[in-house]
Amino acid sequence: MTIQTTAKPKTKRGLERRAKILAAAEQVIGEKGFVAASIADITRAADTASGTFYIYFSGKDEVFRELVQDMGHATRSQAAERVAGATNRLEAERAGLAAYLTVVRDRPMQYRIVEEARFVDPEAYREYYTEFGKAYSEQLRQAAEKGEISAGDAEVRAWALMGLAKTLGERFVLWEDNVDIDRVVEEAHSFICNGLAP
Amino acid sequence: MTIQTTAKPKTKRGLERRAKILAAAEQVIGEKGFVAASIADITRAADTASGTFYIYFSGKDEVFRELVQDMGHATRSQAAERVAGATNRLEAERAGLAAYLTVVRDRPMQYRIVEEARFVDPEAYREYYTEFGKAYSEQLRQAAEKGEISAGDAEVRAWALMGLAKTLGERFVLWEDNVDIDRVVEEAHSFICNGLAP
């Protein structure tokens, strides 16, 4: 999908308005879904005139793709922050999973939007996970070299770990009113470290 | 979502026609997505008059929900068949993962439809995975009791394993032209058995 991209505003006021529209789009698209969400809904939620939207974005497609990209950056930077204190890869796995489940709890609309991207903007969806997967594989490869984890295919493991985190986020965070993130992280971490073998 | 359900036909011919429409719907909705797929597209693919559709289904919603349910049954029964020969839980995990990745390869439209259900029919989506998760948890619980796997939270593990399989299916089967299912299964299985710990 080729999406026309609009130049970013140069003034502080312009940047603030653009950010407000983006935040409103996250809320509205996250709640209603991409197809049902209208630009009028978004500008209403952003409390701006509907024409203002087109100063900053060419259409819903552009705003959606930027949301998906933003989410990728936000999730990666939050994970990186929490992982920074870890002294080895297994500790980093625990911290990264906790960070991810916290993002799912605090910004549930993000989860939905990224998943909806599979249908709305498959290219952005694939890029989102591919970037994640590449960086993750590289970390696992280095950790195996240092002997912090056992040897094994880094890419298969990276995607397995991403999938596991995603589904735990859906089942134990999105679908539950009272989430005990720490408990889920501890249980999952013990599986991640030691597997199922008796 | 309340969906009107249509009584199943009683004649062999009726049942065949209904099955043909269902198969066509799987193809068309899997390719175009639920929103874009029209009933006319489906009846055209099924090679029947468009009015025939309404003899068997109240609308697209009903056909979609039945597809999601069918896929759950098909995936579970195919996994059960391949798992039947396994003499312990770890072997069953390997066989189950291989069965699942084979289903993703052979019926890629299924994967897409089940994922689209998250937006089109969240109730059917949740039911699909919840049923799966319950049965899976129970199997892990029994295996832990028998000492075939280590002790641990069966539900967290079941969802972790489901998530891992799903993402491996997407990355290494749906996104690849030449899939080496055996290799992915072996790598993933070694992680599932032993985890990352050195």
Side-chain angles (χ1 to χ4, degrees):
Chain A
M1 179 154 71
T2 311
I3 292 172
Q4 205 190 317
T5 52
T6 312
K8 287 204 179 166
K10 281 164 190 147
T11 64
K12 189 169 168 257
R13 183 143 177 252
L15 286 167
E16 279 170 5
R17 269 202 191 162
R18 190 179 185 280
K20 211 173 161 190
I21 292 174
L22 212 51
E26 178 181 331
Q27 202 55 38
V28 173
I29 296 176
E31 267 165 28
K32 292 193 162 189
F34 180 81
V35 178
S38 70
I39 288 174
D41 292 330
I42 294 170
T43 49
R44 200 178 308 118
D47 208 14
T48 47
S50 73
T52 315
F53 182 92
Y54 294 99
I55 301 175
Y56 305 109
F57 301 101
S58 62
K60 252 199 318 180
D61 286 345
E62 189 184 357
V63 98
F64 187 80
R65 180 166 286 188
E66 186 159 332
L67 280 178
V68 173
Q69 288 167 344
D70 277 4
M71 284 165 194
H73 300 150
T75 306
R76 280 200 297 280
S77 76
Q78 282 178 58
E81 212 176 278
R82 296 219 13 195
V83 160
T87 56
N88 64 56
R89 189 66 225 165
L90 294 180
E91 266 187 41
E93 287 301 324
R94 184 198 269 121
L97 181 59
Y100 175 72
L101 296 182
T102 307
V103 169
V104 175
R105 185 194 62 197
D106 296 343
R107 295 183 75 179
M109 295 306 156
Q110 282 203 359
Y111 189 96
R112 204 195 135 113
I113 288 173
V114 173
E115 288 310 303
E116 194 172 13
R118 188 200 303 268
F119 303 99
V120 173
D121 190 348
E123 210 179 289
Y125 176 83
R126 206 156 152 161
E127 197 184 290
Y128 178 98
Y129 283 111
T130 302
E131 276 190 27
F132 221 110
K134 262 191 207 154
Y136 206 159
S137 301
E138 190 43 40
Q139 286 164 349
L140 293 175
R141 203 169 285 122
Q142 289 175 10
E145 264 174 33
K146 285 192 253 170
E148 289 178 8
I149 60 171
S150 60
D153 188 286
E155 210 189 353
V156 169
R157 284 170 161 192
W159 287 82
L161 289 161
M162 283 158 65
L164 166 172
K166 228 170 112 169
T167 308
L168 293 177
E170 180 155 7
R171 169 64 186 83
F172 294 101
V173 181
L174 284 187
W175 292 1
E176 294 288 343
D177 290 326
N178 294 307
V179 195
D180 186 350
I181 288 183
D182 290 343
R183 186 190 76 82
V184 175
V185 169
E186 282 321 305
E187 291 293 347
H189 188 62
S190 128
F191 167 65
I192 290 168
C193 292
N194 306 311
L196 295 179
Chain B
M1 178 154 70
T2 311
I3 292 173
Q4 206 190 316
T5 51
T6 313
K8 288 204 179 166
K10 280 164 191 146
T11 64
K12 190 168 168 260
R13 182 143 180 253
L15 286 167
E16 279 169 6
R17 270 203 188 162
R18 189 178 186 280
K20 212 173 162 192
I21 293 174
L22 212 51
E26 178 181 332
Q27 203 55 38
V28 173
I29 296 177
E31 267 165 26
K32 294 195 162 189
F34 180 80
V35 178
S38 71
I39 288 174
D41 291 330
I42 295 169
T43 50
R44 199 177 309 118
D47 208 16
T48 47
S50 72
T52 314
F53 182 92
Y54 294 100
I55 301 175
Y56 305 110
F57 300 101
S58 60
K60 251 200 318 180
D61 287 345
E62 189 184 356
V63 97
F64 187 81
R65 180 167 287 187
E66 186 158 334
L67 281 177
V68 174
Q69 288 167 344
D70 276 4
M71 286 164 192
H73 300 150
T75 307
R76 279 200 298 279
S77 77
Q78 280 178 61
E81 211 175 278
R82 295 215 21 190
V83 160
T87 56
N88 64 56
R89 189 66 225 165
L90 295 180
E91 266 186 42
E93 287 301 324
R94 183 197 270 121
L97 181 58
Y100 176 73
L101 297 182
T102 307
V103 169
V104 175
R105 185 193 64 197
D106 296 343
R107 296 183 73 177
M109 295 304 156
Q110 282 202 0
Y111 189 96
R112 204 195 135 113
I113 288 174
V114 172
E115 288 312 302
E116 194 174 13
R118 189 201 302 268
F119 304 99
V120 173
D121 190 347
E123 210 178 287
Y125 176 83
R126 206 157 152 160
E127 197 183 292
Y128 179 97
Y129 283 110
T130 302
E131 274 189 28
F132 222 109
K134 261 189 208 156
Y136 206 159
S137 302
E138 190 45 39
Q139 285 163 350
L140 293 174
R141 203 168 287 124
Q142 288 174 11
E145 263 174 34
K146 285 192 254 171
E148 289 178 10
I149 60 172
S150 61
D153 188 288
E155 210 189 352
V156 169
R157 285 169 160 192
W159 286 82
L161 290 161
M162 283 158 64
L164 167 172
K166 227 169 113 168
T167 308
L168 294 177
E170 179 154 7
R171 169 63 187 83
F172 295 101
V173 182
L174 284 187
W175 292 1
E176 295 287 343
D177 289 326
N178 294 307
V179 194
D180 186 350
I181 288 183
D182 289 344
R183 187 190 76 82
V184 175
V185 169
E186 282 321 304
E187 291 293 347
H189 189 62
S190 129
F191 167 64
I192 289 168
C193 291
N194 305 311
L196 296 179

